[in-house]
Amino acid sequence: DNQLCCIIAWHRSFTNHQLWMHRIYFQSSQKLFIQTTRNISSTKYIKIQQKMRTSISTTTFSHAFLLIGGAQSFATPFHRRGDIIARANYADRSSSTSSLSVLKDLANEEKTNGSVGTTTLDDTTSSETKPTGETTVLATDSQFIKSLPEKRSYRVIELPNKLTVLLASDPTTDVEAASVHVRAGHFDDPADRAGLAHFHEHMLFLGTEKYPKEEEYEEFLGKFGGMSNAYTDMEDTNYYFNVSPLEHSEDEDEEGSTVGGTALTGALDRFAQFFIAPLFDESMLERELRAVNSEYLNGKTADNWRNFQMLKHCTSHDHPFSKFGCGNYNTLTNGGDENLKEESDDDNNVELFGGGSSPREDLIKFWTEKYHAGNLRLCVVGRASLDELQTTVERTFGPVRSPPANFVANGIVDQIKAGVFTIPIEGEKHLRDGNDDFVFQTEHSTYSPNVAFGPDQLGLIREVVPLVESRSLKIFSTVPPSADPVLRDSQPFRVLSHLVGHESPGSLHHLLNEEGWINSLASGTGIATSDFELTNIAITLTPKGMRERDQVLAKTWQWFALIKDAVMNDPHGLVEQYHKELKVITDTSFKYREMGDPTDFCSAAAERLFDYEPQKILLGGSEVGDYDVEVAQAFLERLTPENSLVVITGPELGEEKSEESVVSARDASWETEERYGGKYRQIRVSDTLAEEWNHPTEIDPRLRLPGLNQFIPEDLSLRCDDPEHEADFNPDFDYRKEHPKLLVDTPKLRMWHKMDRTFRVPKTSIRLQLTTPDIYRSPRSITLNRIFQNVLSDDLNSYVYDASVAGCNYRVTCVPSAYHVSVSGYSEKLPHLLDVVTSRIASLIEEMKQGDEAHPVLADIFQKSKENLLRQTKNYIFESPYETGSYNIRMLLETPVWHINDYTAEMEGPDAEAEPLTMKECAEVAEQCLFGRSKAVSLCIGNIDEKGSQEVADVISNHFLNKRPLIDDEIPTFRSLIMPNKAEALKIFGSPTEASEVSIVTEAVAHSESEENNAVELFIQTASSYELGYEGLAIQEVIGSMAYNSAFNQLRTKEQLGYIVSAFVKKSTGGGNAFCVLVQSSNTLPPAIEERCLRWVEQFRQEMEDMPEERFAMEAASVKASLLEKDIKLSEEISSLWGEILVTVAHSEHFKNPVFDRVDKFASYLTLDGDKEDDDENEMKASTSSIKTAADLKKRVLEFYDHYFMSPDRRAVSSRVYNRKAKDLFDQNVGKPGVISSYADARKLKQHLSSF
């Protein structure tokens, strides 16, 4: 329930943000979410859990953590270059059998054949510029434009081989990282090897000449709490890694040098070999081809992948945008069939490449042509000085091949330097062609004369039938690249997107929302390449909006006309003022931008080296020039029906019934896209309709441009600099170690306060939790509260949209045990925002209680919110099989818990018709939960003093706490049930359970007919956190840290069970703990997957037995290093502290004080004798701890493993999910002892179980 609620709230909160920032904010947050939940080691998971626990329950986070296995290494659709969700981590693989590097192989091919494909060895070497000379410094630290909180030192250099490198020195960082960005992606795939760039990215992880053992890179990173990742985009590929060495001393590296430390230097040395001498081992091709194919199959049941490929499929096939970037077994082998076997007595003898051809020669050619120093950019963040980092980079990346003579990279910096494009000179007229049309230099330049979207691909209406229930309307318009020299200064797309997606009264969003036609509206860049971009206005429709899509489109084009009129006919009026406002907001945002995660920074900065001058790398797109009306007008002229593609998506479109809509492709035949199977039809926009949209005869009088923003902050002073606080400032103290002060301690409210002295940004965060037992009292209650949450969010837009544009944000969410209210942003405007939000909650409830007739607009919003929640709830059944399996375990494990069907029954069906949910009832239930008896905890942190915090406490008390508080026994508690062992299961079921080595098997069938994957989650329960204690939890995390790589290597790499494979520690509601092994497979049925998982559990026990004691010490240090990573942003500190406060809510008086140093105490149990540790750690570590040495740790790990995972009394559950083709196997097991085939079965079993 937390999971569903959080996903809904998370989505809604981002779709409500301002539009010119919407895409950036939403995508970066989405990227952060996925990246912090990728298939990483359990070590990293611990730290991430500390960061995220405030917004997602522990069980939910464990589920979200698994989303990573499904993350695609092929870049996510509808993201611009540089905003890509990353691929799943590539961990241990079997050892390499080849010792030949690419260049050696090229030489051998040259001797025998004289060529490799169409490229001879002479061709690849004769034109290269040999590295000569010295490293050149392109920008020193003093030349960088920095934000005020920025503490790192920077330098940009060019190595003798022409490799451009950004160095960042940060002596205080706990994470060191690096990234290489390659200006080559799937646009560069050869015609007969679709997906080659993606496959090439996979293969680089599988061994190099210097380090031929394929798991060498990941093993080395794992020793230092590190991880690696990569993604392949349209024109780019990005590789990155990080390490978290515990000690900050200078360690000797492998060569005996003291430059940079062992972790970073060793990692860079291994990383550099990707770009110096990879193997492309022939023996690994088949295995990795199947991995890519599995990745492709995972995307076939996702609408976003289907829609992205459909967009590509319908463009000009002469342009590389039309290429199939992910690739599959067939395309990568040029016609091979993965299921084809030779006619042989040996059934396991698979025909080489399925009857196709080996892609190795094309891999080598691709690497040779694209992976040279001129086409790479490197970014490194480390603790060492800039000089030391430079020395390390010179030594490790110096051998990378130089570029061919006269090579110019596909990046605006190099292209301007080479004279390909010119920078406009102030005062000069803009370029125009012979027809006096405005000239954008970069438009259609890269792949000329081929154009992705020409007249044949535009001016169309396309209808699409989705897999899951969703309705949307999108308008794509082709525009020049935003990196064009003319556009990047004034950036007209910012102000235009801001206006298109504005949500204040009078806006398009407000009008369509009041009509009940839409759920959200977003505007921004949908697709970005080097020679064209697609702007995108994306509207999610209600069922009513789908029926009225003619009106939705008419109002949208009227809104465009209104904006165009302001730009064309009032050149220095309101639009220019909007531009100035956004410039002020952007400047302020950059001025106080905090340092980011080193890994994310490296990944993004390496790409920026192609597109920004060295000294502006940090500034990036935050530099905005003056408004240029001529450029804005030329840009707006592209937003016409003739230059646009209208895409309408909805399940109704596939139904056989007459259409009354004018905007329809009903006269066209349905077609199917060949790669992902998307169903669509399209028709050209009629001249009449185009004229009506282009020049509307009237504009709805309710539409009007917004006023100027009153929430832009002016007072950006810091409270810690006030005289009364500045006097007691100690510059030598790390104020991150200072705990919040308990400012208010009453039976109704406990509030903590901490004034920021560390990050020094003029921002404040106010967190409030109102705990109540009423939200989760019944499925009806939580359903009504979720609906109210959505109604409130919808309603508050008109009140606080400007605040969100200006950097002040709010969130009100309900979870099963409480309402959460969060207000954050620039301190000056925050009290007003808090008052607006809290006051509106109360007045909204009163209006809703008056009923539908009194407030018909509110009634429409209520109905829309109910329909949305029903749709989102029902769509949950279309989730991936592994997500369904995880959900089924949760239904069995937790109490109390309501099943998803219970929620659906409250919103549709006979019972819902007999007792429908009403707006009045919704308001009454929400009022009871928000303003009835509760217990509140709060945190005020940031640029706020005690006086300001006390004022916040008064606002909270006056608005919410007017009833007597809950007593401790009334606080809702959620518990984890203890799963039965085999003997206990025999007693429960009265006969031996189904033939399995686990006690309980839950089974389900994937809902989607097109789902080809099966999944198994093997869940082995340990004990409660209280029972395990710090020492047991530490041992459990060490096991999890070591287990992931082993499981991945065995089950995915060697056995090729599936693309999604993970082994991890799961923490559940109520303090329960478990160890899980998860596999999703398209080629193996659940019982066989389960059996292989169980065999791996046994195998891993032997692997640990064989490991040297030093390996256990390294794993402990790795886990500890990740735990002790310091917060580098105010938001991270807020999450850490707020998480500890929330833990205390359900506790009795004796345990109600937060343990703000919990992580430090946990980490102290991983400190072994001989480790470098401070006095604080020695004091924290209990003298009763049995772990003193590496030998002790190994002994305790094996004892723990034997007790919980290998014992006949282990408490194991297997959650199986079958694809539709295997439903017969599911049916055969229904009713068998020990098999849970429905939630009714689960309820019966839970009656026999006790809880922790």
Side-chain angles (χ1 to χ4, degrees):
D1 301 282
N2 280 348
Q3 179 184 81
L4 186 60
C5 178
C6 287
I7 289 173
I8 294 168
W10 175 80
H11 169 76
R12 182 58 190 163
S13 69
F14 288 121
T15 54
N16 280 342
H17 279 286
Q18 66 275 22
L19 284 189
W20 70 270
M21 292 179 65
H22 168 87
R23 181 187 56 75
I24 299 168
Y25 186 22
F26 177 75
Q27 290 180 356
S28 62
S29 301
Q30 188 181 26
K31 179 180 178 183
L32 174 63
F33 178 74
I34 298 294
Q35 284 188 332
T36 52
T37 55
R38 281 192 305 262
N39 229 355
I40 53 181
S41 68
S42 182
T43 304
K44 284 287 180 186
Y45 162 64
I46 307 166
K47 184 64 178 178
I48 294 165
Q49 188 182 39
Q50 298 294 330
K51 303 291 185 189
M52 297 185 66
R53 59 189 166 189
T54 61
S55 60
I56 306 177
S57 72
T58 311
T59 301
T60 302
F61 181 75
S62 297
H63 178 88
F65 164 57
L66 288 175
L67 289 172
I68 84 176
Q72 304 277 340
S73 62
F74 172 55
T76 301
F78 303 114
H79 287 243
R80 65 180 298 146
R81 198 163 68 187
D83 292 328
I84 306 302
I85 295 177
R87 57 162 276 197
N89 176 37
Y90 275 81
D92 288 22
R93 300 166 172 88
S94 60
S95 59
S96 170
T97 58
S98 172
S99 60
L100 295 178
S101 71
V102 168
L103 293 181
K104 283 183 177 179
D105 211 45
L106 277 169
N108 291 336
E109 295 273 1
E110 159 69 11
K111 290 175 183 177
T112 56
N113 303 322
S115 67
V116 178
T118 59
T119 306
T120 67
L121 181 62
D122 289 339
D123 290 334
T124 66
T125 58
S126 61
S127 62
E128 292 174 1
T129 303
K130 302 299 182 183
T132 58
E134 297 181 351
T135 296
T136 303
V137 176
L138 302 181
T140 62
D141 183 62
S142 62
Q143 294 174 295
F144 276 78
I145 302 172
K146 299 182 181 182
S147 64
L148 290 179
E150 184 63 65
K151 303 301 181 187
R152 295 173 183 144
S153 299
Y154 294 94
R155 179 185 298 169
V156 175
I157 60 175
E158 183 180 88
L159 300 184
N161 61 3
K162 303 304 180 184
L163 177 63
T164 303
V165 184
L166 172 62
L167 305 172
S169 173
D170 183 358
T172 66
T173 186
D174 291 314
V175 177
E176 298 178 297
S179 174
V180 165
H181 196 85
V182 187
R183 192 43 58 90
H186 76 255
F187 277 15
D188 301 292
D189 289 347
D192 58 352
R193 300 279 183 196
L196 186 75
H198 176 207
F199 182 55
H200 177 275
E201 170 223 310
H202 279 231
M203 291 300 299
L204 282 193
F205 286 82
L206 301 181
T208 62
E209 183 182 46
K210 186 174 182 179
Y211 300 104
K213 185 181 175 185
E214 64 172 300
E215 66 269 23
E216 168 66 33
Y217 178 55
E218 297 292 345
E219 276 189 355
F220 184 87
L221 297 179
K223 292 176 184 177
F224 297 96
M227 52 77 66
S228 68
N229 223 315
Y231 65 79
T232 303
D233 195 3
M234 293 177 287
E235 298 177 288
D236 306 83
T237 306
N238 189 279
Y239 303 85
Y240 53 93
F241 74 82
N242 66 38
V243 287
S244 302
L246 184 59
E247 304 301 338
H248 284 248
S249 62
E250 284 189 341
D251 300 316
E252 284 196 357
D253 68 22
E254 297 171 305
E255 307 275 341
S257 167
T258 59
V259 177
T262 300
L264 182 61
T265 302
L268 281 171
D269 189 39
R270 288 159 177 79
F271 188 41
Q273 297 304 309
F274 285 23
F275 315 100
I276 296 171
L279 291 175
F280 298 127
D281 190 338
E282 185 84 41
S283 67
M284 300 179 188
L285 294 178
E286 178 71 25
R287 191 184 66 199
E288 210 60 29
L289 283 166
R290 293 179 181 275
V292 170
N293 197 68
S294 180
E295 184 176 349
Y296 156 70
L297 292 175
N298 287 337
K300 288 189 71 175
T301 54
D303 277 322
N304 61 337
W305 288 102
R306 292 160 69 97
N307 294 338
F308 182 47
Q309 187 60 34
M310 193 183 303
L311 189 65
K312 294 162 72 66
H313 172 73
C314 295
T315 57
S316 169
H317 286 200
D318 294 327
H319 192 281
F321 180 72
S322 65
K323 292 183 177 181
F324 170 42
C326 179
N328 58 27
Y329 192 95
N330 176 266
T331 64
L332 286 167
T333 57
N334 195 13
D337 181 354
E338 66 167 332
N339 299 312
L340 186 63
K341 295 184 178 182
E342 291 181 336
E343 293 182 4
S344 168
D345 294 336
D346 182 3
D347 290 337
N348 295 320
N349 187 10
V350 179
E351 183 171 349
L352 192 60
F353 301 113
S357 60
S358 169
R360 186 170 190 269
E361 184 176 301
D362 285 320
L363 287 169
I364 293 171
K365 181 180 177 182
F366 185 89
W367 182 88
T368 304
E369 292 179 353
K370 304 298 181 183
Y371 279 58
H372 54 74
N375 210 34
L376 312 178
R377 298 295 184 268
L378 169 65
C379 178
V380 179
V381 174
R383 296 172 184 162
S385 69
L386 290 173
D387 288 341
E388 291 172 326
L389 290 173
Q390 180 172 323
T391 300
T392 300
V393 167
E394 288 170 335
R395 195 178 71 198
T396 54
F397 278 83
V400 173
R401 291 175 304 125
S402 299
N406 302 318
F407 175 80
V408 178
N410 181 14
I412 200 72
V413 171
D414 280 19
Q415 290 169 325
I416 290 175
K417 192 183 299 182
V420 178
F421 304 127
T422 59
I423 300 176
I425 299 175
E426 189 173 352
E428 288 191 358
K429 291 184 177 180
H430 293 298
L431 293 174
R432 291 185 179 271
D433 63 16
N435 297 321
D436 201 34
D437 291 331
F438 205 95
V439 173
F440 295 99
Q441 300 173 64
T442 59
E443 188 171 30
H444 309 318
S445 62
T446 310
Y447 308 101
S448 179
N450 301 316
V451 176
F453 290 88
D456 292 341
Q457 292 80 35
L458 297 169
L460 298 173
I461 297 169
R462 179 177 302 156
E463 295 182 337
V464 178
V465 178
L467 282 177
V468 301
E469 184 184 350
S470 62
R471 298 169 182 86
S472 66
L473 188 157
K474 296 180 180 180
I475 302 175
F476 294 99
S477 302
T478 60
V479 296
S482 55
D484 189 276
V486 173
L487 291 174
R488 69 186 304 169
D489 181 43
S490 62
Q491 301 184 29
F493 45 84
R494 285 199 176 202
V495 67
L496 297 177
S497 186
H498 167 68
L499 292 175
V500 168
H502 213 281
E503 300 185 14
S504 65
S507 67
L508 174 67
H509 178 279
H510 190 266
L511 185 156
L512 298 179
N513 195 48
E514 278 203 329
E515 291 286 356
W517 293 342
I518 70 168
N519 296 315
S520 66
L521 185 154
S523 173
T525 302
I527 298 291
T529 74
S530 62
D531 77 341
F532 80 92
E533 289 190 5
L534 290 180
T535 64
N536 178 23
I537 175 168
I539 302 171
T540 58
L541 300 170
T542 63
K544 181 181 179 182
M546 176 61 77
R547 295 190 295 271
E548 299 292 338
R549 58 185 179 277
D550 288 353
Q551 283 295 312
V552 174
L553 273 165
K555 304 300 183 190
T556 300
W557 288 102
Q558 290 174 27
W559 185 236
F560 284 173
L562 195 64
I563 296 171
K564 285 183 180 180
D565 180 68
V567 173
M568 301 297 184
N569 300 322
D570 188 13
H572 299 290
L574 198 54
V575 176
E576 184 170 4
Q577 294 182 62
Y578 295 144
H579 179 92
K580 290 177 180 178
E581 272 192 348
L582 295 179
K583 188 177 187 304
V584 170
I585 292 170
T586 303
D587 290 346
T588 303
S589 177
F590 174 76
K591 183 178 181 180
Y592 293 102
R593 188 172 70 194
E594 299 173 79
M595 294 192 301
D597 170 76
T599 314
D600 290 338
F601 170 79
C602 282
S603 181
E607 179 178 6
R608 285 196 210 115
L609 285 166
F610 280 100
D611 299 317
Y612 293 95
E613 297 130 285
Q615 65 272 23
K616 294 183 178 181
I617 291 296
L618 304 180
L619 183 61
S622 297
E623 182 180 31
V624 183
D626 294 332
Y627 180 66
D628 189 321
V629 65
E630 190 178 358
V631 174
Q633 289 173 345
F635 190 86
L636 255 182
E637 288 173 355
R638 304 303 184 91
L639 304 184
T640 66
E642 296 85 355
N643 194 50
S644 300
L645 170 67
V646 177
V647 180
I648 304 167
T649 302
E652 303 93 333
L653 299 174
E655 298 174 1
E656 293 295 332
K657 63 179 182 181
S658 61
E659 288 270 5
E660 297 181 1
S661 176
V662 173
V663 183
S664 172
R666 59 181 174 273
D667 293 333
S669 300
W670 288 105
E671 299 180 53
T672 300
E673 190 278 318
E674 62 175 327
R675 302 298 183 189
Y676 288 87
K679 182 180 178 182
Y680 72 99
R681 63 187 180 188
Q682 61 187 28
I683 196 170
R684 187 153 296 281
V685 177
S686 68
D687 293 342
T688 303
L689 193 56
E691 176 63 23
E692 182 182 328
W693 286 347
N694 255 329
H695 306 287
T697 55
E698 62 177 358
I699 293 179
D700 194 302
R702 292 173 292 176
L703 292 174
R704 64 182 184 277
L705 294 179
L708 297 178
N709 197 322
Q710 304 302 312
F711 276 88
I712 298 176
E714 296 177 356
D715 180 8
L716 299 170
S717 60
L718 300 177
R719 298 287 69 77
C720 61
D721 289 342
D722 291 344
E724 63 269 28
H725 302 304
E726 192 174 25
D728 61 358
F729 176 72
N730 180 0
D732 298 324
F733 180 71
D734 184 353
Y735 281 92
R736 284 172 292 198
K737 296 181 179 180
E738 181 180 59
H739 297 165
K741 175 183 177 181
L742 183 59
L743 189 64
V744 177
D745 189 8
T746 70
K748 294 183 178 180
L749 172 66
R750 306 187 82 216
M751 173 182 279
W752 284 262
H753 165 257
K754 182 178 180 180
M755 183 175 66
D756 171 50
R757 295 177 184 267
T758 303
F759 305 102
R760 296 185 58 80
V761 290
K763 297 179 180 179
T764 297
S765 180
I766 300 167
R767 301 288 182 95
L768 170 66
Q769 174 171 290
L770 297 166
T771 301
T772 169
D774 295 320
I775 294 177
Y776 208 64
R777 194 175 298 280
S778 67
R780 191 176 186 87
S781 178
I782 192 166
T783 299
L784 286 166
N785 276 289
R786 285 172 174 163
I787 293 172
F788 176 78
Q789 171 190 308
N790 293 339
V791 171
L792 176 66
S793 178
D794 213 326
D795 176 83
L796 275 173
N797 274 343
S798 59
Y799 289 84
V800 298
Y801 180 76
D802 277 346
S804 67
V805 172
C808 293
N809 303 293
Y810 78 95
R811 184 181 296 182
V812 180
T813 56
C814 75
V815 296
S817 60
Y819 264 96
H820 289 168
V821 180
S822 172
V823 182
S824 60
Y826 293 108
S827 310
E828 179 193 12
K829 302 294 183 178
L830 218 57
H832 177 54
L833 178 60
L834 176 65
D835 185 63
V836 168
V837 170
T838 53
S839 298
R840 183 53 187 159
I841 291 173
S843 62
L844 177 64
I845 286 176
E846 290 304 315
E847 291 174 14
M848 291 175 67
K849 285 165 62 178
Q850 293 169 13
D852 296 6
E853 293 184 2
H855 298 280
V857 173
L858 263 183
D860 286 343
I861 294 175
F862 170 81
Q863 184 63 30
K864 181 182 73 174
S865 298
K866 183 174 72 171
E867 290 173 354
N868 287 341
L869 183 60
L870 175 62
R871 174 178 52 83
Q872 292 160 348
T873 304
K874 291 169 68 176
N875 280 348
Y876 190 81
I877 62 177
F878 289 97
E879 295 291 343
S880 298
Y882 75 87
E883 294 175 279
T884 300
S886 182
Y887 179 79
N888 289 341
I889 283 182
R890 179 173 170 250
M891 289 298 100
L892 185 62
L893 181 68
E894 296 181 14
T895 187
V897 65
W898 305 118
H899 193 268
I900 200 166
N901 292 341
D902 298 329
Y903 304 135
T904 304
E906 294 292 345
M907 293 180 277
E908 72 172 7
D911 292 340
E913 292 174 4
E915 295 184 59
L917 303 176
T918 66
M919 185 169 75
K920 182 174 183 294
E921 182 188 10
C922 179
E924 291 170 344
V925 169
E927 181 179 42
Q928 176 63 27
C929 295
L930 281 161
F931 301 109
R933 295 180 60 223
S934 64
K935 200 162 193 175
V937 291
S938 180
L939 172 66
C940 288
I941 184 171
N943 190 38
I944 186 170
D945 55 20
E946 288 190 8
K947 179 184 176 184
S949 298
Q950 187 61 60
E951 292 172 356
V952 170
D954 293 340
V955 171
I956 292 171
S957 297
N958 293 337
H959 277 91
F960 296 108
L961 306 179
N962 295 310
K963 299 286 181 70
R964 63 188 179 90
L966 297 174
I967 61 174
D968 286 346
D969 288 344
E970 291 178 293
I971 294 174
T973 56
F974 298 86
R975 300 191 179 279
S976 290
L977 297 175
I978 301 173
M979 295 296 100
N981 58 32
K982 289 287 280 187
E984 292 165 345
L986 177 61
K987 291 181 179 178
I988 293 171
F989 293 101
S991 59
T993 55
E994 193 262 344
S996 172
E997 298 175 47
V998 300
S999 309
I1000 301 295
V1001 173
T1002 73
E1003 293 197 334
V1005 178
H1007 186 80
S1008 175
E1009 293 288 346
S1010 59
E1011 181 60 68
E1012 299 184 38
N1013 288 297
N1014 304 288
V1016 166
E1017 180 174 330
L1018 178 62
F1019 176 95
I1020 307 178
Q1021 199 169 47
T1022 54
S1024 69
S1025 296
Y1026 178 80
E1027 181 181 342
L1028 292 177
Y1030 283 120
E1031 183 174 307
L1033 290 170
I1035 292 170
Q1036 182 175 257
E1037 297 302 339
V1038 170
I1039 292 173
S1041 178
M1042 294 189 294
Y1044 167 72
N1045 282 352
S1046 173
F1048 192 95
N1049 186 39
Q1050 180 64 34
L1051 301 177
R1052 183 216 185 268
T1053 304
K1054 294 180 179 178
E1055 299 186 26
Q1056 284 292 302
L1057 290 182
Y1059 182 71
I1060 299 176
V1061 172
S1062 189
F1064 53 94
V1065 171
K1066 175 181 279 189
K1067 302 177 186 298
S1068 56
T1069 296
N1073 292 270
F1075 177 72
C1076 297
V1077 186
L1078 182 145
V1079 175
Q1080 181 166 291
S1081 173
S1082 61
N1083 56 35
T1084 310
L1085 290 170
I1089 298 174
E1090 177 188 308
E1091 195 275 333
R1092 296 315 308 153
C1093 290
L1094 288 165
R1095 298 293 74 76
W1096 171 79
V1097 170
E1098 297 170 354
Q1099 173 187 315
F1100 181 55
R1101 168 61 173 81
Q1102 187 59 50
E1103 288 177 15
M1104 290 193 295
E1105 180 74 52
D1106 296 339
M1107 287 179 189
E1109 294 169 358
E1110 292 75 14
R1111 171 70 186 278
F1112 287 83
M1114 283 190 294
E1115 290 293 343
S1118 173
V1119 173
K1120 180 179 176 182
S1122 295
L1123 284 169
L1124 296 180
E1125 287 177 19
K1126 295 185 289 291
D1127 298 321
I1128 60 174
K1129 291 182 179 181
L1130 177 60
S1131 59
E1132 292 181 357
E1133 181 178 53
I1134 292 168
S1135 295
S1136 298
L1137 298 175
W1138 183 234
E1140 289 299 338
I1141 290 171
L1142 293 185
V1143 168
T1144 68
V1145 172
H1147 291 176
S1148 63
E1149 187 76 17
H1150 182 64
F1151 297 104
K1152 70 178 183 178
N1153 293 319
V1155 184
F1156 291 116
D1157 58 354
R1158 183 190 307 273
V1159 171
D1160 297 311
K1161 290 182 177 180
F1162 188 1
S1164 71
Y1165 279 80
L1166 296 169
T1167 302
L1168 307 178
D1169 292 349
D1171 288 353
K1172 296 177 182 178
E1173 55 182 331
D1174 56 33
D1175 293 337
D1176 291 339
E1177 284 181 322
N1178 283 321
E1179 291 175 8
M1180 286 182 184
K1181 188 170 182 178
S1183 59
T1184 56
S1185 173
S1186 63
I1187 304 174
K1188 307 294 184 183
T1189 65
D1192 294 337
L1193 178 60
K1194 179 176 181 178
K1195 178 174 178 291
R1196 287 288 291 115
V1197 164
L1198 293 176
E1199 289 174 349
F1200 187 100
Y1201 199 89
D1202 289 341
H1203 178 70
Y1204 290 110
F1205 306 148
M1206 301 297 291
S1207 166
D1209 293 330
R1210 69 181 174 191
R1211 304 181 182 278
V1213 176
S1214 176
S1215 183
R1216 304 172 180 172
V1217 181
Y1218 296 84
N1219 64 29
R1220 300 292 293 184
K1221 296 176 183 177
K1223 185 176 182 299
D1224 288 347
L1225 293 178
F1226 168 84
D1227 293 336
Q1228 291 171 17
N1229 289 334
V1230 172
K1232 289 183 178 180
V1235 177
I1236 308 300
S1237 303
S1238 66
Y1239 187 57
D1241 291 344
R1243 276 197 295 261
K1244 293 177 184 177
L1245 173 62
K1246 289 167 77 170
Q1247 296 176 11
H1248 300 276
L1249 306 180
S1250 58
S1251 64
F1252 287 118

